[in-house]
Each structure stands twice: as C-alpha cells, then as structure tokens.
Amino acid sequence: MSRAFLIVMDSVGIGGAPDADRFFNDGTPDTGANTVGHIAQACAQGRADQGREGALKLPHLDALGLGAAITLASGVAAPGLDAAPQGLWGAATEVSSGKDTPSGHWEMAGVPVPWDWHYFPDKTNSFPPDLVAKACEIAGTKGVLGNCHASGTNIIEELGDEHIRTGWPICYTSADSVFQIAAHEEHFGLDRLLALCEGLAPTLHGMKVGRVIARPFIGENGVFTRTPNRRDFAMAAPAPTLLDWAYDAGRVTHAIGKIGDIFSHRGVTHLHKGKGDADLAKHLIALAETAEEGSLTFANFVEFDSLFGHRRDVAGYARALEWFDGVANAFMARLRPGDLAIFTADHGNDPTWTGNDHTRERVPVLACAPGLDARGIGQIAFTDIAASIADHLNIPAQGPGKSFFVRDKT
C-alpha cells in the first residue's frame, strides 16, 4: 500500500502570483516578490556570505525541479538553480484571499478559504477597546502591553522587562489575520498564557480572525528568547481537509510541527513536535522509515519564515535552505517503492522585500517517488496537491482540486 508525505517549506515562494498587486508590504505591492529567486540573486552577487559563501547551493531540491519551477512561476531564472529536473515539478497558484498560514495550508489540503479574513490594519492601538477589555478580563490584569503591529522577537526585547514588572500580557498583530500574545513562561505562566489564548479564541474566530497564537518566552533583564511551546488556536477549516479524508478512510496520519494546530487537530492520529526545525527534520527522516503503509505524513518547517523571512535576513534564509536541502536528500534516500513525497510552500516571505510581512507568490510543487518519471506539470492550483495525494493513496477526495496523476490517465 502506498504512503504519502506532504512537506511544507514555510514561506519558500517562487514569485509570479498573478494578483500580487492586491497585496502590500508597508504600502508597496508584492508585485515582483520572489523569495527563492531573490535569495539566489543575492548569493550569486556575494550579498549573502554571512555563515555561508557563494552561489545558493540546493542540488537536491534543484534536481527535483526547483529552478525550473521558479522560471515557470516568475519568468526569471534563478542563478545557480539550473539542473535538468529529475522529479515531477510545477508551480501552484493560490485563490484564497490571503497570504497567510491557514489560507495556504487549508487550500493545499483541498479547502480554499471562502471568506475574507478580518485584519487589524492600524499600526498602533490595533485592537478595539472591547477586545482589549476581554483580554484583560480573562488574564485578570488591568491592561495589556503592545496593542500594535510588531515583530515577535523585537517586541519581547522592547517590552519584556515591563511585562515582568506589570504582569500585563504583550498583545500584537501583523499584516496577517492574527492576534498574538507573548508572555513569560515563569513570571506569567505558560498554562495561564494558553488559557488566555484559548479563552479569547472563540471571540476572535467569530470575527474571522484566523489565529490566536501563544508566544511564550524566557529570560531576564532585556535578554529574552522565545521557547518551543508556541501554540496556535486556529479556526477550524470550513470543510473536511486532506487530513480528514485520510483519517476517515481509516489511514494513519502524522502531523509534524505546527500542522496539528493549523488544522485544529482534526484528522490527526499522531503529533510530532520539537524545539525547532532540526528536531522536526529528525521526525521526518524517522517517519520515512517507520510510517505505516497507507499513511499520510504532513509536515511544516517554519523557521524559513519565522527566523529569516520576517527578519529580512537573506544570508540566514540561504543557510536554512541549504541545510534543508541536505535534510531532503536524507529523507528521500529512505523512501520505499510506492511512496510519494511532495515538497511545497504556503506563501512567500521575500527577505529582500520592503516591510517584514509575507509576500504573495506562487509556490513550488516538487514531487518525488521511486520510479516516478521526470516531467513538468505546469501551473496548477493549490487544491490539486490534495487531490493528487488522495489519488495516490486511493482515498476519496473532496473539493475542487484535480489530480495531476489523473491527467496522465486521460
């Protein structure tokens, strides 16, 4: 029986979204954003030599067709990514009206978002007074800190000491449909932070705010570090997703990283968490050897986005891509006959772009399987990913997607 692995390289976009002019970073449209393409250009020009050197080196992902997918998506070749594809490759275009985690993941799992998300556009005093009052009521505090757009790492540096002194939670947002709460694991308490986020989630979900995110941290005297105990309280998808399709068909499902949170833990048999992407890579490689026949493994590697994209760290992003290329090679070496693995992304986060938010881009679709013929599948829909995996697993599919394997049979 076949197994399937869906691996999301969070924010690893490849440019070319046809509606990028409708999405903005600090007032600048995302037209022309190209996460991997621009990183490759910076590397080729010697502008990303911190902790690494020279051209962007992704031999294994490029062999699957990454460079070809970038050219297909954006019309621009990425320096150094010019291998002849040995996998099945293409570029996927999103239709949901967002460039965020739930939109991308739900849609690649077969369910486009049927509504417009609610956002908090004001950079300061971002949240309405009644929402702030609700947060204070649940937290048992007289106020909150922040109430603004902010980088999660920057705001704990700025307000961490005041948070410890006052006991008030740090509440902030971004260009995404999100309400984030940072609090010290010891001074405020991890359980108290999670209870606050869980208590606020129904109100925010009713407003069509996609996620309430708990952002715990530790440290003292201006030196603070986020811990791996992040928790996303996400809205439930409006229809059954790929995870539900597999679970309802009696298949074992494995969720690596934040996948469980993104899908409100629906359709998940086993959760695999870790302190960072290095731990998640160990889970993925182990599951290539141990995952059950007929199972679905769905993984998210978030640090491209959280550590490097939002911080506009080009060299750091390049290092992360090169590290992951080695992970992908070790993983693919363990695949069995009959397996299918698809590498993709949920949106872009071009570290060369203005602002510090996600960028609206197409994403790569790179599939490998022992014995799979190398070919291009062209420009496809996000939902085609779910339909193709369902086809491979021989389980019933729902939603608008079309399997690129079915196309081969017609």
Side-chain angles (χ1 to χ4, degrees):
M1 189 181 291
S2 301
R3 304 185 302 172
F5 299 83
L6 178 54
I7 302 150
V8 180
M9 304 174 291
D10 201 302
S11 85
V12 180
I14 55 173
D19 58 356
D21 60 333
R22 294 178 44 235
F23 297 83
F24 295 85
N25 262 276
D26 280 354
T28 300
D30 287 343
T31 306
N34 187 335
T35 299
V36 183
H38 287 161
I39 292 170
Q41 290 176 6
C43 291
Q45 295 166 1
R47 295 186 288 111
D49 286 349
Q50 296 79 29
R52 57 166 309 283
E53 189 173 305
L56 185 63
K57 303 173 184 67
L58 305 176
H60 304 106
L61 292 173
D62 193 26
L64 291 181
L66 178 58
I70 294 170
T71 303
L72 173 67
S74 66
V76 179
L81 302 179
D82 53 7
Q86 301 171 24
L88 182 153
W89 59 274
T93 303
E94 185 175 12
V95 300
S96 299
S97 183
K99 51 176 179 175
D100 52 80
T101 293
S103 296
H105 283 77
W106 292 0
E107 191 168 327
M108 75 175 69
V111 182
V113 180
W115 56 68
D116 288 332
W117 296 108
H118 179 83
Y119 300 93
F120 301 103
D122 295 335
K123 295 299 180 70
T124 59
N125 295 318
S126 302
F127 308 121
D130 59 337
L131 190 56
V132 173
K134 182 72 172 178
C136 294
E137 176 188 348
I138 297 172
T141 60
K142 295 182 179 180
V144 302
L145 302 177
N147 192 7
C148 61
H149 282 227
S151 157
T153 50
N154 290 343
I155 201 166
I156 62 172
E157 293 176 3
E158 296 168 4
L159 297 177
D161 286 326
E162 187 176 357
H163 162 71
I164 292 172
R165 179 177 58 81
T166 63
W168 293 6
I170 303 170
C171 301
Y172 61 102
T173 188
S174 68
D176 290 343
S177 178
V178 66
F179 190 108
Q180 303 197 68
I181 307 177
H184 199 285
E185 282 199 357
E186 297 165 359
H187 293 283
F188 189 87
L190 177 59
D191 289 344
R192 185 182 174 199
L193 171 60
L194 296 178
L196 170 57
C197 292
E198 185 174 19
L200 269 180
T203 297
L204 286 154
H205 293 168
M207 299 167 60
K208 293 294 189 290
V209 175
R211 289 180 293 165
V212 184
I213 304 179
R215 290 288 198 174
F217 63 93
I218 57 174
E220 303 287 341
N221 301 319
V223 181
F224 301 106
T225 304
R226 295 200 296 203
T227 76
N229 294 318
R230 163 183 170 156
R231 175 80 182 273
D232 291 38
F233 295 85
M235 284 186 68
T241 71
L242 174 63
L243 284 165
D244 298 306
W245 308 347
Y247 189 87
D248 292 345
R251 305 302 180 85
V252 175
T253 60
H254 296 273
I256 299 177
K258 64 180 185 177
I259 293 297
D261 289 345
I262 294 168
F263 290 92
S264 301
H265 300 275
R266 282 188 354 198
V268 175
T269 309
H270 299 293
L271 288 171
H272 306 269
K273 293 279 195 174
K275 293 182 179 179
D277 280 1
D279 287 344
L280 304 185
K282 293 176 183 176
H283 290 313
L284 178 64
I285 291 169
L287 284 168
E289 297 183 331
T290 64
E292 299 82 356
E293 291 300 315
S295 63
L296 168 65
T297 297
F298 198 164
N300 173 283
F301 289 84
V302 71
E303 290 181 354
F304 305 107
D305 184 63
S306 62
L307 298 185
F308 308 112
H310 287 299
R311 299 182 188 183
R312 297 302 188 246
D313 181 351
V314 178
Y317 208 132
R319 292 194 304 270
L321 286 170
E322 291 173 338
W323 166 81
F324 186 77
D325 190 73
V327 171
N329 184 47
F331 161 74
M332 290 188 288
R334 290 164 169 79
L335 293 177
R336 305 171 188 167
D339 288 345
L340 171 69
I342 296 179
F343 297 87
T344 188
D346 51 347
H347 50 71
N349 199 344
D350 189 338
T352 72
W353 213 243
T354 59
N356 59 7
D357 293 313
H358 298 153
T359 43
R360 179 76 164 187
E361 302 179 40
R362 289 187 168 115
V363 301
V365 180
L366 311 174
C368 64
L372 182 70
D373 291 336
R375 63 185 175 87
I377 56 172
Q379 294 185 3
I380 67 170
F382 271 42
T383 51
D384 293 349
I385 296 171
S388 301
I389 290 175
D391 185 21
H392 175 78
L393 291 176
N394 194 27
I395 60 176
Q398 304 172 38
K402 303 295 182 183
S403 169
F404 36 74
F405 298 120
V406 167
R407 293 171 188 157
D408 291 344
K409 303 169 188 174
T410 59

